[in-house]
Amino acid sequence: MSKTRKIRIVCGVGARPNFVKIAPILRSLKRYSRLATRLVHTGQHYDRVMSEAFFEDLGIAPPDVFLGVGSGSHGLQTGKIMEKFEEFLLADPPELVLVVGDVNSTLACALAAVKLHIPVAHVEAGLRSYNREMPEEINRVLTDQISDFLFTTSRGAGENLLREGVDEKKIFFVGNTMIDSLRKSLPRAERRSRFLRELELAPGSYALLTLHRPEVVDSKERLEKALKALEGAAELLPVVYPVHPRTRKRFSELGLEKRFRGLSNLILSPPLGYLDFLHLMIRSRMVLTDSGGIQEETTVLGVPCLTLREETERPVTVEKGTNIVVGLDRGKIRRETEKILGGKGKKGKIPELWDGKAASRIARILSERLSKNSK
Ligand code: UD1
C-alpha cells in the first residue's frame, strides 16, 4: 500500500436504532485523516420517519449508498441484503466493515464481508438474552462469532464473549455509542416540546410506552395479554404510545385496533423522530418498553423503566440503572407503577464508561490497529 493510500472503512446500517449508534462513530472516524469512511444503508427501514428523519435529527449526512432492500421475511431480507452488500463490497473492497447492534442488517452485512475475507468490527458485541426465539439474539451470536473487533458496552458483555471462546485480544470495552448520541442530543431534545403541548400533557404526568418486538406483537394471545397488562398502568396515569409500523400492521391483522384505541388513558401516536421521542422520554414519569436501547437511555436519564419482557440482554441496566424486568404480569406492572408514582421508584447509577466518549475510543482503536496492519 502506498503511503498516501487511505484505509477504507464501510459502515453498514439499516434500521432505526442503527442510525443512533452509528452517528457518533462516523463523526469520530472522520477525525482521522488516514481513514476514509463510507456509509451504506441497506434500506431495512425506509419510511421517512423511520429513516431520513433520524439522519436529520442526528445531524449526519445522508448515506453514500442506499441498497433499497425493504421489508420481508427474515431469510428474504437477510439474503437480499447479503446479495446487494456483497456486490457493493466487490466493486471496491474496503479494509474493514463496521456494523452496529443486532438487527438483520447487522448480521447480513457482517456475513457478506467475512465471506469476502474482509475483517469485521461489531459495535455492541456480547449482549445476550439467551432467548433464541428472538431474531436479534441469533443476529448477535452469529455476528460476534465472525467479527475481528468486538466493541462492548459493559464488562458483562465481554465475559459472555469469553465464555463463548472469543479471543480476549479481540474484545474492547469502550462504552455505549447510543449514549454518546443521547448526551450530544439532549440540549436539542429539551427544546422539542411542541408534541407534548399538542397532547396537552404536563411534564412528569404520563408514562411513555413502546411495544414492537415480534415475540409480543406477532401473536394475538401475547398482544391481548400485553393489552390487559397495560390497562394496569393506564388506570394510574396517561400512557403515550408511538406505534411502530410492525405493531400497527398486527393490530389490524389481528383485529385488535379497536380495543387498543378504546383503552381510555392510552394515547396513540405515529412513530416519532429521534429528538421528539427523546423529549417525551426526558419529560415522562416512567417508561414501559420492550426495546433494548430504551432500557439504556432511561438508565442514563434516571427515568424509571419497566421492561415488558421475560429477560434482558442488558443486565447492567437492572444491576446499575433504573430498569426492572416485569414481563407482561399485570399485577407486577401495577405494583411497580404505584411505587414509582409514590416516589419509591428505582434511582440507579450510570454504568461505567457510558460517558459520551465511546465512539472516540472505537475510532482511536481502529485507527491504531488498522494503520499498523497496513504498514
Ligand atoms: C427491527 C429489528 C429490531 C429493532 C427494530 C427497531 C430485526 C430482526 N429487527 O424490527 O431489532 O428493535 O427494527 O425499529 O432486524 N415497516 C414499515 N416501514 C419501515 C420499516 C418497517 O412499515 O420503514 C414495517 C413493515 O411492515 C415490516 C415491519 O415493519 O415488515 C417490520 O420491519 P423489520 O425491519 O422487519 O423489523 P422491525 O420490527 O422494524
Side-chain angles (χ1 to χ4, degrees):
M1 186 180 280
S2 83
K3 251 189 176 172
T4 50
R5 175 109 190 252
K6 297 237 186 193
I7 298 166
R8 289 154 309 163
I9 300 179
V10 167
C11 300
V13 293
R16 212 165 46 167
N18 284 175
F19 311 141
V20 183
K21 290 165 198 169
I22 205 71
I25 299 175
L26 292 173
R27 268 193 285 272
S28 296
L29 290 174
K30 284 219 168 80
R31 291 197 196 108
Y32 292 84
S33 56
R34 185 80 203 278
L35 306 179
T37 310
R38 277 172 300 163
L39 180 66
V40 177
H41 185 328
T42 65
Q44 176 173 348
H45 283 175
Y46 42 85
D47 285 348
R48 201 192 125 65
V49 70
M50 303 287 285
S51 181
E52 273 162 272
F54 274 67
F55 280 76
E56 288 162 18
D57 279 359
L58 290 158
I60 45 175
D64 299 290
V65 181
F66 186 73
L67 302 180
V69 165
S71 301
S73 66
H74 288 282
L76 184 82
Q77 189 175 58
T78 310
K80 268 186 166 177
I81 298 170
M82 282 187 70
E83 185 187 349
K84 296 210 164 183
F85 192 60
E86 181 183 63
E87 213 174 284
F88 169 81
L89 292 177
L90 281 170
D92 183 14
E95 275 67 48
L96 183 86
V97 164
L98 182 145
V99 294
V100 295
D102 56 14
V103 302
N104 286 346
S105 298
T106 310
L107 173 63
C109 292
L111 197 48
V114 81
K115 279 180 174 277
L116 295 174
H117 312 296
I118 299 168
V120 173
H122 183 207
V123 175
E124 202 187 79
L127 298 183
R128 295 290 180 269
S129 66
Y130 297 103
N131 174 359
R132 295 243 173 144
E133 298 277 307
M134 293 176 72
E136 294 83 2
E137 182 72 356
I138 311 282
N139 294 339
R140 289 180 200 118
V141 170
L142 297 180
T143 305
D144 286 343
Q145 279 301 318
I146 55 176
S147 291
D148 303 88
F149 294 88
L150 295 105
F151 295 110
T152 61
T153 53
S154 67
R155 293 194 186 277
E159 285 157 20
N160 293 340
L161 293 169
L162 291 175
R163 269 198 300 278
E164 289 173 18
V166 174
D167 183 346
E168 198 178 356
K169 292 196 223 58
K170 294 183 180 176
I171 305 170
F172 304 89
F173 172 39
V174 290
N176 193 327
T177 66
M178 192 170 231
I179 301 308
D180 294 1
S181 277
L182 175 80
R183 291 188 183 280
K184 185 172 163 55
S185 308
L186 272 180
R188 276 182 309 142
E190 286 279 355
R191 297 194 289 269
R192 301 286 275 231
S193 53
R194 182 185 53 84
F195 187 59
L196 207 50
R197 270 201 309 273
E198 277 169 21
L199 294 177
E200 296 181 2
L201 285 170
S205 70
Y206 63 92
L208 178 61
L209 166 70
T210 76
L211 198 66
H212 73 277
R213 294 265 170 205
E215 68 271 22
V216 179
V217 305
D218 280 6
S219 112
K220 186 163 187 177
E221 196 196 326
R222 300 279 297 167
L223 201 50
E224 282 194 322
K225 195 171 172 196
L227 191 62
K228 285 214 181 80
L230 289 169
E231 274 167 351
E235 278 161 16
L236 300 169
L237 79 171
V239 177
V240 181
Y241 180 19
V243 186
H244 186 283
R246 169 191 279 281
T247 319
R248 187 168 293 280
K249 218 168 132 192
R250 293 289 173 262
F251 281 167
S252 57
E253 280 168 7
L254 301 172
L256 288 173
E257 197 149 24
K258 262 200 190 138
R259 279 207 54 201
F260 258 88
R261 288 201 176 280
L263 201 70
S264 65
N265 246 1
L266 188 66
I267 302 160
L268 302 185
S269 96
L272 298 173
Y274 180 63
L275 292 174
D276 281 333
F277 186 82
L278 205 52
H279 182 85
L280 273 191
M281 189 155 51
I282 299 165
R283 295 281 185 268
S284 69
R285 186 68 185 261
M286 61 183 284
V287 167
L288 298 145
T289 191
D290 65 349
S291 144
I294 293 169
Q295 296 171 49
E296 299 181 336
E297 290 167 338
T298 46
T299 271
V300 170
L301 294 171
V303 173
C305 175
L306 302 185
T307 293
L308 308 170
R309 287 171 38 197
E310 302 306 325
E311 75 285 301
T312 178
E313 63 288 339
R314 291 161 160 91
V316 74
T317 61
V318 176
E319 288 151 18
K320 295 260 158 69
T322 56
N323 190 18
I324 303 175
V325 179
V326 291
L328 292 177
D329 181 330
R330 184 189 159 107
K332 220 174 190 174
I333 292 173
R334 206 189 146 97
R335 275 195 303 281
E336 292 300 337
T337 303
E338 277 168 348
K339 265 201 227 164
I340 292 165
L341 296 181
K344 295 194 188 99
K346 227 171 143 186
K347 295 286 178 283
K349 292 195 183 100
I350 295 182
E352 192 181 354
L353 296 189
W354 290 19
D355 55 2
K357 296 178 190 151
S360 42
R361 292 186 189 102
I362 292 171
R364 183 173 40 75
I365 292 165
L366 287 179
S367 162
E368 280 170 14
R369 303 285 159 134
L370 296 174
S371 302
K372 219 189 276 170
N373 294 349
S374 74
K375 266 181 196 153

